[in-house]
Amino acid sequence: MALVAGVDSSTQSCKVVVCDSLSGATIRQGTAPHPDGTETDPEAWWSALEAAIVAAGGIADVEALAVAGQQHGMVCLDADGQVIRPALLWNDTRSAAAADDLVVELGDGDAALGARRWAESVGSVPVASFTVTKLRWLADHQPERSARGAAVCLPHDWLTSRLSGATSLDTLVTDRSDASGTGYWSSDDGYRRDLVALALRRTADAVEEVVLPRVLGPHEIAGRTPQGVLLGPGCGDNAGAALGLGLGVGETFVSIGTSGVVAAVSATPTHDSTGGVAGFADATGAFLPLVCTLNGSRVLEATRSLLGVSHEELSDLALAAPDGAEGLVLVPYLEGERTPNLPDATGSLHGLTPATMSPQHLARAGVEGLLCLLADAIDVLRRLGVTVERLTLVGGGAQSRAVREIAPRVFGLPVAVPQPGEYVAAGAARQAAWTLSGRTEPPRWESPGTTVLPRDPVPGILARYREVATGPEARP
């Protein structure tokens, strides 16, 4: 039995799973925390990876490994390969103004034209999450550090390089899925160095000297560790989740982690000039149009903390309240929001009356507010012609009984809930097995056990949410 390992280096922690390369069965796993915050010294990721590998029983018997990582994080290196500043993570919104500036500048002063040009160029319109906006922030706010930048890579790229023991910037590699989240890579044209030059405020000639990771094919070998473990190309975390769930073209998942994500595997790319849909690639050679919210499971955590209850008790309270919480609505822009693009917004609570000022109503409003935010994300995909007929619900938030039971009522769709698992890490492990096999298709692994909850819509929940979420009181 050949063993492979998959790594999920997420915002909050590092998970390692060791799997049977033929069946995908998890043999063992380990985890280690990452520090809080929206910027991180990459060495913290490396320390967590080392600890998670130890917790998983080591990788001495593993033949191949791949890393899936949080998308967009800006890792800037100097000519010696040293990190020049803590990496700005996807959820760091300080580059929101830079995103607006880049859109206007590409449109020669016209924001609408700029948005259309960005979407046509790379499939997405920059928002604060994207790497390209963080490069502009660095150029404007820390120009000395920006000038030292000789290479730019992403979290999974950096970890793959560290695993390989490489010392040259020229050995940096990435994959289509993660490159597509930078804001300066096109599935048609590769890297758009003109957009990198725009972001860094450098000349075209100067940007030619900046090293950008070589983009590998879906199962191309990235190298080996000093101990001889084969390295897969790795991928972005959302592409890893789709691969781990075994989703094919036309299938959609909703992930409730630190962020909320709705993504559909597609045979064709998308180009959304409104910026609502990010035109990402997946880890197999297809595409992964994706809608992301900044607010995910932390909405549940904040509601639980406010009420002073456990997550299980939060579910009990929420399910004890009626559908729609009798008009009490939480608009959960607790950390600003990416979809809709309101980085400076805050959350708001509407419909407080003597009848709704109860723990049960507030718990219900918290769960429904999060699900309504994601329901709007689903509709953003639909507006681009993406068919959404059934959803697969994953992530830490999917472990909430209230979320599982209320989701079909808000979404108005059947919802499949797989057994809890580390699907991002499993996707990376599946890619490692694919790389190890040398075959043209990924291995067929056992599908995760799934419970399908029937559609039981209550349209009034979403209608009431939209009524207050789009009103003037919901705007920053």
Side-chain angles (χ1 to χ4, degrees), residues 158-249:
W158 187 83
L159 285 170
T160 300
S161 179
R162 284 295 298 266
L163 283 163
S164 74
T167 57
S168 170
L169 295 179
D170 293 334
T171 62
L172 288 169
V173 295
T174 191
D175 85 307
R176 295 171 67 255
S177 69
D178 229 1
S180 66
T182 61
Y184 48 80
W185 181 86
S186 161
S187 59
D188 294 325
D189 303 320
Y191 284 119
R192 289 289 304 269
R193 286 186 175 269
D194 57 324
L195 300 180
V196 178
L198 181 68
L200 289 175
R201 298 191 186 278
R202 297 190 191 179
T203 66
D205 289 344
V207 165
E208 285 298 322
E209 299 177 0
V210 175
V211 175
L212 302 175
R214 183 166 58 92
V215 181
L216 302 180
H219 56 104
E220 189 174 346
I221 296 173
R224 290 184 181 271
T225 69
Q227 294 75 31
V229 178
L230 189 73
L231 295 173
C235 56
D237 51 0
N238 294 302
L243 190 59
L245 289 165
L247 300 186
V249 171

Side-chain angles (χ1 to χ4, degrees), residues 284-364:
T284 70
F287 298 90
L288 196 71
L290 180 148
V291 181
C292 182
T293 67
L294 278 180
N295 296 281
S297 59
R298 285 181 179 172
V299 176
L300 304 177
E301 174 60 24
T303 308
R304 179 208 66 77
S305 178
L306 177 63
L307 293 173
V309 298
S310 68
H311 281 288
E312 183 177 351
E313 290 169 332
L314 180 68
S315 283
D316 291 341
L317 288 170
L319 293 171
D323 288 325
E326 295 186 282
L328 186 66
V329 177
L330 173 67
V331 180
Y333 302 158
L334 304 186
E335 298 184 281
E337 191 44 72
R338 168 174 169 174
T339 307
N341 187 21
L342 298 170
D344 299 318
T346 57
S348 53
L349 191 63
H350 303 263
L352 279 173
T353 68
T356 61
M357 290 184 67
S358 77
Q360 293 86 351
H361 285 80
L362 181 58
R364 184 82 181 205

Side-chain angles (χ1 to χ4, degrees), residues 98-143:
D100 293 339
D101 290 345
L102 288 169
V103 171
V104 170
E105 289 170 23
L106 196 64
D108 299 321
D110 184 332
L113 176 59
R116 187 164 67 250
R117 286 177 174 172
W118 277 102
E120 291 170 351
S121 297
V122 295
S124 304
V125 179
V127 292
S129 300
F130 289 6
T131 319
V132 70
T133 70
K134 301 177 190 306
L135 291 178
R136 168 55 70 85
W137 180 91
L138 186 66
D140 286 347
H141 294 271
Q142 297 180 352

Side-chain angles (χ1 to χ4, degrees), residues 18-27 426 444-446:
V18 177
C19 302
D20 180 340
S21 66
L22 295 180
S23 70
T26 298
I27 306 302
R444 294 185 179 276
W445 281 7
E446 297 173 2

Side-chain angles (χ1 to χ4, degrees), residues 1 29 96 149 198 201 231 277 286 334-335 360 365 386 393 410 431:
M1 175 177 68
Q29 59 186 323
L198 181 68
R201 298 191 186 278
L231 295 173
V277 177
L334 304 186
E335 298 184 281
Q360 293 86 351
V386 177
L393 185 63
V410 173
Q431 185 196 69

